[in-house]
Amino acid sequence: MPGLTIKTPDGKTRSVTLLKRITSVGRGADNDVVLDDAKVPETAFAIMFDGVSYKVGGEVAFHVNGRSTDEHELKASDVVKVGETELVFSSGDAPMSQPALVTRLGRGDSNNPDASTQEQPGVPGRELAALRRLTAFSEHLLQSYDVDRLLENLMDECIEVARADKGFLILMESNQLRMKVARNVARETIEDAIERVSDSIVAKVVKQQKALIIADALDDPEFNASESVVNLKLLSVMCAPLMHKGELFGVIYLGNDRLVNRFDQKALDTLTIFAAQASLLIQNALLVNELKLENVTLKTRLDEHAYGDIIGACQGMREVYKRIDKIAPTDISVLVIGETGTGKELIAKELHRHSPRAKGPFVSINCGAIPENLLESELFGHVKGSFTGATATKLGRFQAAINGTLFLDEIGEMPLQLQVKLLRALQEKVVYKVGDHRPEPVDIRIVAATNKNLEDEVRKGAFREDLYFRINVVTLKLPPLKERGDDVTVLARYFLNKYAREFNSKARGFTPSSVVAMKKYHWPGNIRELENRIKKAVVFADKPLMGPEDLDLRPENLPPILPLAGAKEEFQKRYINEVLERNNGNRTKTAKDLGVDPRTIFRHLEKLEGEKEAGTLPSTTEFEES
């Protein structure tokens, strides 16, 4: 069979048989082939079998026959070098041609594979038939992931291939061996199997992790007193370990109660190969069931982390939810502030959904996306002939939102002239269509949103102060994504599942390094940027787990790591500014609150002023001593 000869830096060699379709190689303990070489990455590459040839490929460069590459189709005697370790590929025996006929294995002579199956060079007919049967069986089982049914079918096949009378599948659970399947040749479950199979034969296979055959169990001095031999009256026994990544996770135990010497070395060899493939099938089914459980867990977590259509459970978002619960039942105006992409419209919808107006319309308008000469018409409507192109009378968003909620997004972009008309509409609760002088009463609730600092806009004369106080009865401030902690991974998995279903993608999760990168990245575009990056990655995904490069989160895109002294200085600068703001710029009180000499605060402000004048610091709020 195809395999690898591994030459380690200390001159030792060992051989590994390639049994899996995908074999991972690296320094990490969770790889299929673990290399004890400090210069080898945690996961260096994978060797993949597509049914015809073996290919080696990975995310890091390695050498094949002295040339650097990241992908190569392996030929006999190819030398793959990673770190200081060399792996020599051997192709094994020539591929077997497919038979014209695959016969059924049974207990009678007419079903004897030695008699009915054409022999292949180097492969005995019985073993070849068993391997063919296992291949067909594997393909069938891979279409279903019902673990209990799969284990029963697997045991039935083992019994028939080995011509046994009974078979038991025992798996390791919580470091304890537990009977999972007990079957007889009639494909029936054996009752009371737990009490009848618990003996020294299984214990020896578990300890040595090697297959065992006992041709004449009743005459074997080591095992003739074992519980299974006595209780089940077994004359011959075979037992093979189930291994995964070098660890035993169960055994297959087969017994015969009618013939001595029923099992021979060929039967044991066949069972050993069968057990190797069975390990893959069982682990695959367990993995799929684990993924299903993870999906259920994720759905539960999403339910726990969700507030309506909003996903997030960080402290900042919890505070927002509490405020929504309190103000939604009222009709007071709300101003939602936050950076672009933080989900301000979703907040407005939840305010509407939790309000007495929930059965009424929710109407949204982006004040920054509509030209100034059309915005008034969009808000208040117009009458036919009021301007060029007004071929019919049209209702505005105010009229459309009657008995509901009107969401004014990006209200900071509204022209001053229109702000006057908006203020009048809010104060008088009436609107006038463009070209009409008849007032129309409107019963609506206003929720506005902006990513601007409206107080600064008021000081600059770009926003009316009276309108600001009219719309800002209550403020809801949304935290940026970079301040929301684990919410970023919950949101990422939500978007991954959503778009994987939509685009029928292979993507199923994120590598640990991509999770770390997502938490480190500052996300200037917030949730909208996260969603768009994941959507793009899902479309182009060609593997189940997406890494940082799939999300364009390469190291150069992440914020630089500051030395500890620099990080402390940045934190101190931000913290002093925050306390100054809370104390309305009072330097003396700030120094007292922080427990420092007032001169420390003076020096801090002088340094800020110097950085601002030098152009290394954006404009900051002026702090005046009170």
Side-chain angles (χ1 to χ4, degrees):
M1 296 185 71
L4 299 171
T5 300
I6 302 171
K7 300 179 181 179
T8 58
D10 58 4
K12 296 180 180 179
T13 62
R14 61 188 172 100
S15 298
V16 174
T17 303
L18 298 176
L19 298 174
K20 301 175 66 175
R21 286 185 177 272
I22 301 177
T23 302
S24 61
V25 180
R27 181 164 47 86
D30 58 345
N31 290 288
D32 299 311
V33 178
V34 179
L35 303 181
D36 186 13
D37 184 343
K39 295 184 178 180
V40 173
E42 283 290 309
T43 298
F45 52 78
I47 298 174
M48 295 153 284
F49 180 60
D50 59 8
V52 178
S53 61
Y54 283 84
K55 293 180 181 179
V56 57
E59 298 181 359
V60 298
F62 47 88
H63 289 80
V64 178
N65 301 328
R67 293 186 177 183
S68 178
T69 183
D70 60 3
E71 187 174 354
H72 178 79
E73 182 175 331
L74 291 170
K75 305 296 183 184
S77 300
D78 277 351
V79 179
V80 182
K81 184 173 182 181
V82 57
E84 298 296 329
T85 303
E86 290 185 353
L87 301 92
V88 182
F89 175 73
S90 59
S91 59
D93 296 330
M96 297 179 294
S97 59
Q98 290 297 320
L101 175 68
V102 177
T103 58
R104 172 175 172 79
L105 291 178
R107 304 186 63 81
D109 291 338
S110 62
N111 289 316
N112 187 340
D114 292 322
S116 61
T117 305
Q118 183 180 357
E119 194 98 1
Q120 296 293 327
V123 182
R126 177 176 171 183
E127 285 75 6
L128 178 60
L131 292 175
R132 289 174 183 156
R133 186 185 191 94
L134 178 59
T135 301
F137 175 65
S138 301
E139 291 174 352
H140 172 70
L141 287 186
L142 285 173
Q143 300 173 11
S144 172
Y145 300 106
D146 182 335
V147 175
D148 292 337
R149 186 62 186 150
L150 181 146
L151 297 182
E152 289 181 354
N153 289 343
L154 181 62
M155 201 68 258
D156 291 339
E157 291 294 323
C158 285
I159 292 171
E160 193 160 353
V161 167
R163 303 178 187 179
D165 295 314
K166 299 176 177 66
F168 309 91
L169 185 62
I170 305 168
L171 297 184
M172 187 78 73
E173 293 181 351
S174 302
N175 294 322
Q176 296 289 328
L177 288 171
R178 301 186 186 280
M179 179 76 66
K180 303 300 290 187
V181 178
R183 305 282 281 181
N184 60 25
V185 70
R187 301 193 172 218
E188 300 168 336
T189 297
I190 299 175
E191 302 298 334
D192 303 324
I194 296 176
E195 290 78 12
R196 301 168 73 183
V197 180
S198 175
D199 61 10
S200 54
I201 296 176
V202 174
K204 185 171 183 177
V205 172
V206 170
K207 181 179 180 180
Q208 296 184 349
Q209 298 186 4
K210 293 181 179 179
L212 176 68
I213 183 171
I214 304 169
D216 188 351
L218 291 177
D219 196 40
D220 191 302
E222 183 179 359
F223 299 113
N224 58 9
S226 73
E227 295 179 27
S228 59
V229 171
V230 173
N231 294 339
L232 297 169
K233 299 181 175 60
L234 298 180
L235 299 179
S236 51
V237 172
M238 280 196 304
C239 190
L242 295 170
M243 308 293 293
H244 179 63
K245 296 183 178 180
E247 297 290 333
L248 182 141
F249 72 93
V251 296
I252 293 177
Y253 185 109
L254 299 176
N256 179 276
D257 57 12
R258 289 186 289 177
L259 292 175
V260 174
N261 296 320
R262 160 64 77 183
F263 304 131
D264 54 17
Q265 186 59 45
K266 288 183 179 180
L268 184 62
D269 292 342
T270 302
L271 178 63
T272 302
I273 297 173
F274 213 104
Q277 183 67 13
S279 297
L280 298 179
L281 292 172
I282 295 171
Q283 288 295 330
N284 188 53
L286 293 174
L287 176 60
V288 170
N289 276 266
E290 184 179 340
L291 288 173
K292 289 180 179 178
L293 179 60
E294 284 184 2
N295 284 335
V296 172
T297 304
L298 176 59
K299 186 177 185 306
T300 303
R301 285 190 66 194
L302 285 175
D303 291 341
E304 293 172 351
H305 284 67
Y307 183 91
D309 290 336
I310 306 170
I311 296 171
C314 69
Q315 187 58 39
M317 293 305 296
R318 289 184 184 275
E319 292 297 326
V320 171
Y321 304 153
K322 289 178 183 178
R323 291 174 71 84
I324 291 176
D325 288 338
K326 289 183 178 180
I327 63 180
T330 72
D331 244 2
I332 59 177
S333 298
V334 179
L335 177 64
V336 185
I337 61 175
E339 296 177 6
T340 299
T342 49
K344 295 186 286 294
E345 185 167 355
L346 285 177
I347 294 293
K349 287 180 178 178
E350 289 306 317
L351 280 166
H352 174 72
R353 186 177 297 168
H354 289 77
S355 75
R357 297 176 178 269
K359 294 183 179 179
F362 176 86
V363 179
S364 174
I365 182 170
N366 189 323
C367 301
I370 301 173
E372 181 177 348
N373 59 333
L374 297 178
L375 185 55
E376 182 179 359
S377 171
E378 285 293 324
L379 284 171
F380 308 126
H382 63 258
V383 296
K384 181 179 179 180
S386 56
F387 54 85
T388 303
T391 58
T393 298
K394 176 187 174 183
L395 296 178
R397 303 295 176 93
F398 266 79
Q399 293 94 330
I402 289 176
N403 296 323
T405 302
L406 177 62
F407 176 54
L408 301 172
D409 197 9
E410 302 301 345
I411 194 170
E413 305 293 336
M414 181 176 287
L416 275 171
Q417 182 181 357
L418 197 53
Q419 290 178 28
V420 178
K421 297 181 179 181
L422 174 61
L423 177 62
R424 183 175 66 175
L426 298 181
Q427 288 175 335
E428 300 176 4
K429 296 186 178 180
V430 297
V431 296
Y432 297 84
K433 290 190 184 77
V434 176
D436 196 357
H437 299 290
R438 292 171 297 177
E440 295 182 56
V442 287
D443 177 18
I444 62 175
R445 181 188 193 167
I446 294 292
V447 178
T450 183
N451 62 355
K452 289 187 173 183
N453 187 325
L454 290 188
E455 292 182 354
D456 287 346
E457 296 298 302
V458 169
R459 281 193 290 269
K460 291 188 295 186
F463 200 85
R464 292 183 61 92
E465 185 176 34
D466 46 5
L467 177 59
Y468 172 67
F469 288 120
R470 173 64 65 174
I471 63 173
N472 187 29
V473 179
V474 173
T475 302
L476 289 179
K477 184 177 181 180
L478 302 187
L481 186 56
K482 64 185 178 184
E483 296 177 5
R484 290 180 55 176
D486 289 338
D487 281 0
V488 66
T489 55
V490 177
L491 284 162
R493 290 191 176 96
Y494 168 77
F495 291 133
L496 173 65
N497 288 342
K498 174 184 176 181
Y499 291 115
R501 288 194 302 268
E502 181 176 337
F503 301 127
N504 193 25
S505 169
K506 295 180 180 179
R508 292 293 179 270
F510 302 99
T511 63
S513 56
S514 65
V515 173
V516 172
M518 282 190 286
K519 289 184 176 181
K520 286 183 177 180
Y521 186 55
H522 279 173
W523 297 107
N526 291 291
I527 300 172
R528 187 178 295 121
E529 180 185 1
L530 173 66
E531 180 177 8
N532 289 339
R533 282 181 184 254
I534 290 176
K535 183 189 292 187
K536 173 187 172 184
V538 166
V539 169
F540 288 102
D542 54 5
K543 52 190 177 183
L545 298 181
M546 295 194 296
E549 66 283 352
D550 299 307
L551 300 171
D552 292 328
L553 294 178
R554 297 176 178 85
E556 60 268 21
N557 296 333
L558 298 177
I561 298 176
L562 293 174
L564 186 58
K568 288 180 178 178
E569 183 179 351
E570 285 297 316
F571 171 78
Q572 179 174 301
K573 184 189 298 183
R574 287 197 305 270
Y575 192 61
I576 292 175
N577 286 341
E578 288 176 9
V579 179
L580 276 166
E581 288 182 8
R582 288 175 61 179
N583 290 330
N584 297 317
N586 189 317
R587 304 173 188 180
T588 304
K589 188 174 187 309
T590 298
K592 183 179 179 180
D593 288 344
L594 293 175
V596 297
D597 190 288
R599 286 175 294 183
T600 301
I601 307 302
F602 287 119
R603 285 194 295 269
H604 167 78
L605 293 173
E606 287 174 358
K607 186 176 180 180
L608 286 184
E609 188 63 31
E611 291 175 353
K612 185 169 67 173
E613 291 176 357
T616 60
L617 187 72
S619 179
T620 57
T621 303
E622 295 289 341
F623 297 110
E624 300 294 341
E625 185 175 11
S626 300

